[in-house]
Amino acid sequence: MSGSEKTTIGMNPDESKSDFNIDRKCCLMVFDGETKGTMYKLLKGDTLIGRDPECDIVISFPNVSRKHLKIIVDEKLNVAAEDLGSLNGTEVNGIKLNGDIPLENGDIVKVGSVTLKYLLEGEPEYYFYEMHRELNYKDDLTGFFNRRYFNLMINSEIGKSKISSNEFSLILFDVDYFKGVNDTCGHIVGDYVLKEIAGIITKNCNPDNSIFRFGGDEFAVIIPKANTEKAYKIAEGYRFIVETHPFIFNTYRIPVTISLGVAGYEKGMASATDLLRRADEALYNSKREGRNCSSIYSPEYSKDFPPEVRDGVVDTVRLRKLKSF
């Protein structure tokens, strides 16, 4: 499989692989932990699972070998699991796997400390967990992932970056003068604007990039394997398609623009909070520059950033709302 088809435990499972060109699909579903219910659809051929960033499904845990397990799917949807000589082994239904073994619906596959369940589409359990995922990780209005899933994914991406040394970037953006849209036109129009933005960005978004709604008009985008220059070009692309899109509600055209901030993950960052703060400082700068623009984080921004925010006393998003940015 190509690099664009890789996924990570805690990363975006739906965008990682296309569907089968056959009638019935199958998947591996995370069966425990914070990401319980996350489903990884399997393609025909071999799917490599392990800690190595080159695997198709990356599990960033120390007790998982770099290349731990291979899932094999043939043309008739016969599925088998094969341990790849992993240090800690693989268990299927509590039995240590030697060589390969066919998988049947409902089989439990343990890879290190991560428990996966093999499911076939059409079985009640498949749809139950699909519904669970939608309820827990998706925003109802926009269809984007929610803040809860962002927290899982950003930490997984940081873990992956530490192993592979690959860069990745974060974009934060919000809608300019969105409070005015709600106050003047009503929340129905505000919801229309957010749904329309979600639709046009999804249509023009690389499937490797995961988009999240934090709440209100605030959004985040994780850009894997991208430095800040590349992420800035992506941010400007989003800004352009929103600025030039006709937002028309009941024959009335609504002017809509967005402001964006870009920051890149650097080794040595203490946590995802540091990356978020940098992206937020860049977004704050875009607001100061007149909105409808993108900014890449610079340490200079921190000097002008309100000290109560810089020191972590006040949340940046709440402060922007108080200052009517």
Side-chain angles (χ1 to χ4, degrees), residues 37-269:
T38 303
M39 300 170 74
Y40 299 89
K41 294 179 183 178
L42 302 172
L43 286 177
K44 288 181 290 186
D46 296 347
T47 297
L48 295 180
I49 302 173
R51 193 162 40 88
D52 194 314
E54 297 303 313
C55 287
D56 301 303
I57 298 177
V58 181
I59 305 180
S60 301
F61 288 91
N63 57 359
V64 175
S65 296
R66 294 186 69 84
K67 288 185 172 62
H68 196 110
L69 176 69
K70 178 167 66 175
I71 302 294
I72 308 154
V73 183
D74 68 16
E75 294 289 334
K76 296 182 178 180
L77 197 55
N78 297 311
V79 181
E82 179 184 350
D83 185 82
L84 298 176
S86 62
L87 180 63
N88 294 306
T90 302
E91 292 183 3
V92 176
N93 299 326
I95 300 173
K96 189 169 183 178
L97 181 60
N98 292 308
D100 61 79
I101 186 173
L103 291 181
E104 297 182 359
N105 183 62
D107 281 349
I108 299 295
V109 181
K110 191 162 187 179
V111 180
S113 59
V114 177
T115 303
L116 306 170
K117 190 168 189 176
Y118 174 69
L119 295 172
L120 273 172
E121 184 184 39
E123 300 295 331
E125 196 171 13
Y126 180 98
Y127 294 113
F128 172 81
Y129 283 110
E130 205 165 39
M131 185 180 298
H132 175 275
R133 180 199 61 203
E134 294 291 323
L135 291 173
N136 283 275
Y137 297 137
K138 289 288 186 77
D139 172 63
D140 289 340
L141 180 66
T142 63
F144 288 155
F145 289 108
N146 58 23
R147 179 65 182 264
R148 177 184 180 187
Y149 201 50
F150 171 84
N151 292 337
L152 297 174
M153 289 186 68
I154 194 72
N155 287 314
S156 291
E157 193 66 33
I158 288 173
K160 185 178 178 182
S161 184
K162 286 178 179 178
I163 295 171
S164 66
S165 298
N166 287 332
E167 297 177 284
F168 79 93
S169 294
L170 175 68
I171 298 172
L172 294 183
F173 71 90
D174 66 15
V175 183
D176 298 326
Y177 302 109
F178 185 69
K179 185 177 184 298
V181 174
N182 276 334
D183 290 348
T184 304
C185 305
H187 288 275
I188 293 176
V189 176
D191 286 350
Y192 158 77
V193 168
L194 295 179
K195 287 179 70 174
E196 199 74 1
I197 288 174
I200 59 176
I201 287 182
T202 299
K203 185 177 178 181
N204 292 275
C205 179
N206 186 317
D208 287 342
N209 305 334
S210 301
I211 310 178
F212 310 82
R213 184 186 180 198
F214 275 13
D217 63 318
E218 294 136 10
F219 300 87
V221 190
I222 296 176
I223 315 291
K225 296 183 180 179
N227 58 25
T228 52
E229 287 75 18
K230 180 178 178 181
Y232 176 81
K233 292 179 180 178
I234 293 171
E236 277 293 280
Y238 293 162
R239 186 194 62 77
F240 177 78
I241 61 174
V242 170
E243 180 187 28
T244 57
H245 180 76
F247 290 83
I248 300 173
F249 188 86
N250 287 346
T251 73
Y252 291 98
R253 181 158 185 161
I254 306 162
V256 178
T257 59
I258 58 175
S259 297
L260 308 95
V262 178
Y265 175 76
E266 296 176 2
K267 281 198 170 181
M269 280 187 177

Side-chain angles (χ1 to χ4, degrees), residues 258-297:
I258 58 175
S259 297
L260 308 95
V262 178
Y265 175 76
E266 296 176 2
K267 281 198 170 181
M269 280 187 177
S271 67
T273 302
D274 292 338
L275 180 59
L276 269 169
R277 184 165 297 164
R278 289 187 177 191
D280 215 6
E281 289 179 16
L283 172 56
Y284 188 89
N285 183 71
S286 294
K287 296 292 187 184
R288 290 192 310 149
E289 292 296 319
R291 302 175 177 84
N292 191 26
C293 63
S294 305
S295 300
I296 299 176
Y297 168 78

